[in-house]
Amino acid sequence: MNDISHFQMARKALKKLYPSWLLFIDEVMDLIQPFWLGLQSKEHAHFIHLIGYGKRQKAKEIIIDLLELLDWQSDSIFLLQNWDLQSPSSFVQVVDFQESYRVFPKVVVTDFFSEFLDLVNGEAATCSYLPQFKNFLKERKELQLFDESHPSSDVRGSLIISFLDFFGDQDFIQTRLLLKFLWNNPIEGFNQLRKTFVPEEMQRMIEKEYVKQEELIFFSKDCPFHAQMAIDLQAVTSAIAVKGSELLGIPVSISFNAMDYFLAYVFYKKLIYSKLLQAGLDFFLPVFRQYPRMTGKVNIRPEKLELDFKGGWKFNLMLD
């Protein structure tokens, strides 16, 4: 068993190196601690999946420093995408890795899982090794990508740290994906978002027990500006709906499409909450004032209105 004081010193040192990533560091160190103490099960492999809101290169940098602080670098292998068009594909690299390591190293760090999980999600009919890979994800005892004439690789007791690139590198796309998640899963703050966010692509994987939700870690700085903007837009949406209801004398709601349109308008202004709210009121209230003109020939008193945007503004009338 390793000395826990060394582990705690490594945690503190990593926080000094990356003072804007404290929440992530604590979460990943908490999952790694059983390995340091020798308490993890030796009967199967263990995973830590980094949901990559932060950039792939930053994840590599932090993990490398973490392994060096724990003196695990000699027991670790990195399997990472190489964007050189002449380089081998991720599958070829994994096959070479399996042939080279009949017993997995203590730690494997990879960003290949997004590609392989896409195959599992899509039930790729042409993928000959799909059943073996599913078995690897579910049983976590061996990796076998060939036929039975080739020996499998023993993965039991190993730690696999994977970077899952569901967000991409564009800040607008990242913010839009978070807003879409929050639309159906309202939360109060960034810490709660970190603990509850699950990409749509992962839902089915969790249901089928290929991935465990407790293995997912939201990889980001402690309070990214655009993540906070997505959270703030929840409150802005509610406040605008209240103002619209007061203006029209009818309960009003705002669709995701309408707020998504507003996001495109306001995104690059990088507004704090108070200014974001004012921008929202300036954006939406003139639309609400058009309601009498837009529905003048409709002789119906709805119980509720929904403001929507589909190539132009529209009001959806909701009746009992």
Side-chain angles (χ1 to χ4, degrees):
M1 180 183 295
N2 290 311
D3 183 1
I4 189 63
S5 62
H6 181 164
F7 187 83
Q8 299 298 2
M9 288 176 62
R11 185 192 295 252
K12 291 179 181 178
L14 201 61
K15 287 182 175 182
K16 286 185 178 180
L17 288 172
Y18 303 98
S20 299
W21 298 76
L22 303 184
L23 293 172
F24 166 72
I25 290 170
D26 274 335
E27 289 175 4
V28 75
M29 294 296 279
D30 287 346
L31 288 182
I32 287 176
Q33 185 169 318
F35 289 84
W36 179 260
L37 297 176
L39 302 177
Q40 86 281 13
S41 171
K42 305 296 195 300
E43 296 304 313
H44 57 81
H46 304 265
F47 290 90
I48 296 175
H49 295 292
L50 310 184
I51 301 173
Y53 187 82
K55 301 295 189 285
R56 185 191 308 258
Q57 183 59 37
K58 178 58 70 171
K60 177 182 176 183
E61 180 184 331
I62 294 176
I63 295 302
I64 286 175
D65 284 338
L66 167 61
L67 296 175
E68 288 182 353
L69 288 167
L70 294 177
D71 199 24
W72 279 359
Q73 62 269 42
S74 62
D75 297 318
S76 304
I77 293 292
F78 283 75
L79 286 173
L80 301 174
Q81 295 280 4
N82 187 333
W83 302 109
D84 183 349
L85 295 177
Q86 303 301 317
S87 66
S89 68
S90 55
F91 176 71
V92 170
Q93 292 184 61
V94 172
V95 167
D96 289 344
F97 175 74
Q98 184 195 326
E99 289 187 323
S100 301
Y101 291 90
R102 295 307 178 200
V103 176
F104 262 38
K106 177 184 290 186
V107 181
V108 177
V109 181
T110 182
D111 58 5
F112 291 165
F113 264 80
S114 294
E115 181 177 338
F116 283 96
L117 293 179
D118 283 345
L119 292 174
V120 174
N121 253 336
E123 299 286 348
T126 59
C127 182
S128 60
Y129 59 85
L130 187 59
Q132 298 98 300
F133 191 72
K134 286 182 176 180
N135 182 70
F136 163 66
L137 290 175
K138 204 156 193 176
E139 301 298 329
R140 304 177 171 212
K141 294 185 177 181
E142 63 179 9
L143 177 64
Q144 171 59 281
L145 299 180
F146 306 99
D147 57 41
E148 294 182 357
S149 64
H150 289 77
S152 60
S153 294
D154 186 350
V155 305
R156 292 174 297 177
S158 293
L159 172 62
I160 300 169
I161 302 175
S162 78
F163 181 91
L164 301 177
D165 191 7
F166 290 116
F167 285 99
D169 292 330
Q170 296 184 19
D171 289 337
F172 178 74
I173 299 300
Q174 293 179 346
T175 309
R176 188 174 184 273
L177 288 173
L178 282 186
L179 179 62
K180 186 176 181 181
F181 173 80
L182 293 170
W183 203 259
N184 299 313
N185 304 274
I187 58 95
E188 295 181 356
F190 183 63
N191 286 357
Q192 187 180 353
L193 172 63
R194 291 179 60 87
K195 296 180 183 301
T196 58
F197 180 79
V198 177
E200 285 186 23
E201 300 92 329
M202 296 298 293
Q203 293 286 359
R204 187 164 173 265
M205 306 296 294
I206 292 171
E207 291 168 4
K208 290 185 171 291
E209 299 182 343
Y210 294 134
V211 173
K212 298 177 182 178
Q213 187 162 351
E214 61 268 23
E215 297 168 341
L216 301 177
I217 296 180
F218 195 84
F219 177 72
S220 76
K221 290 183 177 181
D222 289 345
C223 193
F225 180 84
H226 290 118
Q228 187 59 50
M229 173 184 277
I231 294 170
D232 288 345
L233 282 172
Q234 293 179 107
V236 169
T237 302
S238 299
I240 293 169
V242 169
K243 289 291 186 181
S245 301
E246 293 173 354
L247 182 65
L248 299 180
I250 304 171
V252 166
S253 64
I254 300 173
S255 74
F256 172 78
N257 289 336
M259 190 53 64
D260 189 35
Y261 182 52
F262 172 65
L263 174 63
Y265 166 76
V266 79
F267 178 77
Y268 292 103
K269 297 182 180 182
K270 294 188 175 182
L271 304 177
I272 61 174
Y273 173 76
S274 59
K275 293 185 177 180
L276 187 64
L277 174 58
Q278 187 59 54
L281 294 172
D282 294 342
F283 188 84
F284 282 102
L285 291 187
V287 181
F288 285 124
R289 293 190 180 100
Q290 294 298 314
Y291 172 72
R293 181 185 63 79
M294 294 172 67
T295 60
K297 295 182 180 181
V298 179
N299 191 24
I300 297 175
R301 173 74 177 179
E303 295 296 321
K304 186 177 180 180
L305 291 175
E306 180 189 57
L307 177 60
D308 195 9
F309 185 87
K310 292 182 179 177
W313 294 112
K314 62 180 291 188
F315 286 97
N316 297 320
L317 310 185
M318 300 179 183
L319 308 175
D320 267 347

